[in-house]
Amino acid sequence: YRDLHTFELQAPTRLIEWARGSRVCVAGYGQSDGNEILQLIPPPTLLTKETQGLCPERDFKVECGGFSERPVYSLKYVPDTSLLVTSGPPDSSLQVWQVSAEDSDVIKSVSPIATENGTGQSWAKIATISARAPWVLHGSRLDRVQITEVESRKNVYTAASRGSEELSGLAFLDCNTLLLCCATGRLCLADVRQPQSLVEAVSVPSAPCSERWCMGTRHGAQGLEPSSQPVARLSSRGLLTLTDLRKTSEFLALAKARVPSPGSGAEFLCISWAPALESCLAISGFDGTVHVYDTQSWDSSGKEVEPIFVHKGHAFGGAGGSGDPPLVTVHTWHLQKPRTLLSAASDGSLHVWDWVQPCGKC
């Protein structure tokens, strides 16, 4: 490691979200009342663009917080606002939160966003954008996807789909284009300007019905179209696919990660592109580790690939609350520091780490 910071949370978290001023938001997912939502100030070394030497202050600090009466399974900061949007069981409704001003340390709940036929539906996956107005894209199934203006609660888009497949993720590619990923691995493109148009991208390799998939989108470099950025998909068996949305009839790359079978439901599967590196992505959700890969040499053979770095810190952190070994529940990349990642685990541990650059890699 080049650097490693650790912070112990009071409860397991499955969320890490960057907010204003390089703040970090986390939330608990326990089934009982009183799940914390916290906004943390990172260690000073993470607030500078260049790596510094030894720093006397190495801990996160709690800046403000609040409590949710329901488990928080998804959390997104609404860009250019002081609002957070969360979702979680028992239905597909959304909760909106106001991050308080500097003279208060409370994150307050404001009126929720109710969804049509939300009762009985699984929790909603969410994405946010502020290109025209603060929007939240949300839905639990393919035929329940919509965009709501956060502040006015106005519905501005509803996707037209005959399918009712469960969603594992969704994303804004730009202010008009949406990408939806089903738990079966099916990808669909949608256009806000054409609600009746839903285009299916290349399907995933044939697999058992119990296999689940998640996706990771890459934010394009300046001047590049979002559709030119490859979409990565990860399955609960460790299959990895890269897809160019401009040519959806074939895979850009197909590979296999050496990972153990995940626990029940593969609910913590996570794959993400590095925002400040050309071809690196990370995966987690199988055990107490995070694997980082360089995709430059990948082809369509489906062969097993080796990671360039494995973060094992959570695996050695002790057993979780259930007595089982800790499981990494989520990870995310630092927005400016190329090889810096944040990861959280089921034992409440939050790690920030930066690995030494291998020769010729990333």
Side-chain angles (χ1 to χ4, degrees):
Y1 294 96
R2 186 189 303 275
D3 205 358
L4 172 64
H5 302 267
T6 65
F7 184 74
E8 296 301 320
L9 300 167
Q10 294 298 311
T13 178
R14 61 180 292 159
L15 309 153
I16 303 173
E17 174 75 358
W18 289 102
R20 293 185 304 172
S22 295
R23 281 6 185 206
V24 176
C25 292
V26 297
Y29 64 88
Q31 296 300 320
S32 59
D33 293 345
N35 294 283
E36 283 188 307
I37 298 177
L38 302 176
Q39 182 165 288
L40 308 176
I41 302 175
T45 54
L46 290 184
L47 299 178
T48 60
K49 292 186 178 181
E50 296 181 359
T51 302
Q52 296 180 337
L54 292 176
C55 179
E57 181 57 67
R58 297 180 58 83
D59 289 334
F60 285 84
K61 291 184 177 180
V62 177
E63 184 174 37
C64 54
F67 290 93
S68 171
E69 294 182 355
R70 61 172 67 198
V72 183
Y73 277 29
S74 186
L75 178 152
K76 294 293 180 181
Y77 165 66
V78 183
D80 304 323
T81 73
S82 58
L83 300 175
L84 301 172
V85 179
T86 65
S87 66
D91 54 39
S92 61
S93 64
L94 308 181
Q95 287 68 52
V96 183
W97 304 82
Q98 174 74 53
V99 180
S100 301
E102 295 180 359
D103 59 348
S104 175
D105 60 359
V106 177
I107 297 178
K108 298 179 180 179
S109 175
V110 296
S111 58
I113 297 176
T115 54
E116 185 179 357
N117 298 324
T119 303
Q121 297 290 325
S122 58
W123 61 279
K125 283 66 179 179
I126 55 180
T128 55
I129 196 172
S130 285
R132 300 172 181 169
W135 283 358
V136 56
L137 170 67
H138 56 103
S140 60
R141 296 191 175 274
L142 200 56
D143 58 352
R144 294 284 187 270
V145 176
Q146 62 189 71
I147 296 175
T148 303
E149 190 172 292
V150 177
E151 294 174 330
S152 68
R153 306 297 194 271
K154 177 184 177 182
N155 177 268
V156 296
Y157 168 83
T158 300
S161 173
R162 297 179 181 177
S164 59
E165 295 178 57
E166 180 186 353
L167 290 173
S168 63
L170 36 71
F172 284 101
L173 297 180
D174 56 34
C175 62
N176 293 314
T177 313
L178 318 173
L179 184 64
L180 316 175
C181 181
C182 298
T184 59
R186 179 185 176 194
L187 283 181
C188 292
L189 282 166
D191 193 313
V192 173
R193 298 161 296 186
Q194 301 174 358
Q196 302 304 313
S197 175
L198 201 63
V199 179
E200 182 175 352
V202 64
S203 59
V204 294
S206 57
C209 296
S210 59
E211 186 171 30
R212 295 178 63 88
W213 291 78
C214 66
M215 75 166 180
T217 57
R218 183 176 180 182
H219 298 288
Q222 188 172 3
L224 292 179
E225 292 293 327
S227 60
S228 70
Q229 304 302 304
V231 176
R233 279 175 285 181
L234 169 68
S235 84
S236 53
R237 286 194 299 154
L239 291 179
L240 294 152
T241 72
L242 304 184
T243 303
D244 187 337
L245 295 178
R246 298 169 300 179
K247 190 176 182 181
T248 60
S249 60
E250 60 186 42
F251 291 116
L252 192 63
L254 180 63
K256 177 72 169 66
R258 187 186 300 171
V259 293
S261 298
S264 59
E267 60 179 335
F268 298 120
L269 285 182
C270 183
I271 183 169
S272 63
W273 283 104
L277 293 174
E278 181 62 31
S279 57
C280 283
L281 58 77
I283 67 171
S284 64
F286 295 89
D287 53 18
T289 65
V290 182
H291 292 208
V292 180
Y293 293 90
D294 183 356
T295 66
Q296 283 184 327
S297 62
W298 290 10
D299 54 30
S300 57
S301 66
K303 65 182 180 181
E304 189 171 271
V305 290
E306 293 292 332
I308 60 172
F309 187 80
V310 179
H311 174 60
K312 300 180 180 179
H314 296 286
F316 298 111
S322 64
D324 298 323
L327 171 68
V328 172
T329 54
V330 69
H331 72 265
T332 190
W333 295 79
H334 194 284
L335 300 179
Q336 287 86 33
K337 294 178 178 291
R339 289 180 302 280
T340 299
L341 290 92
L342 291 80
S343 55
S346 56
D347 60 352
S349 59
L350 175 63
H351 290 184
V352 185
W353 41 280
D354 186 340
W355 80 92
V356 177
Q357 180 178 2
C359 180
K361 299 287 186 180
C362 287

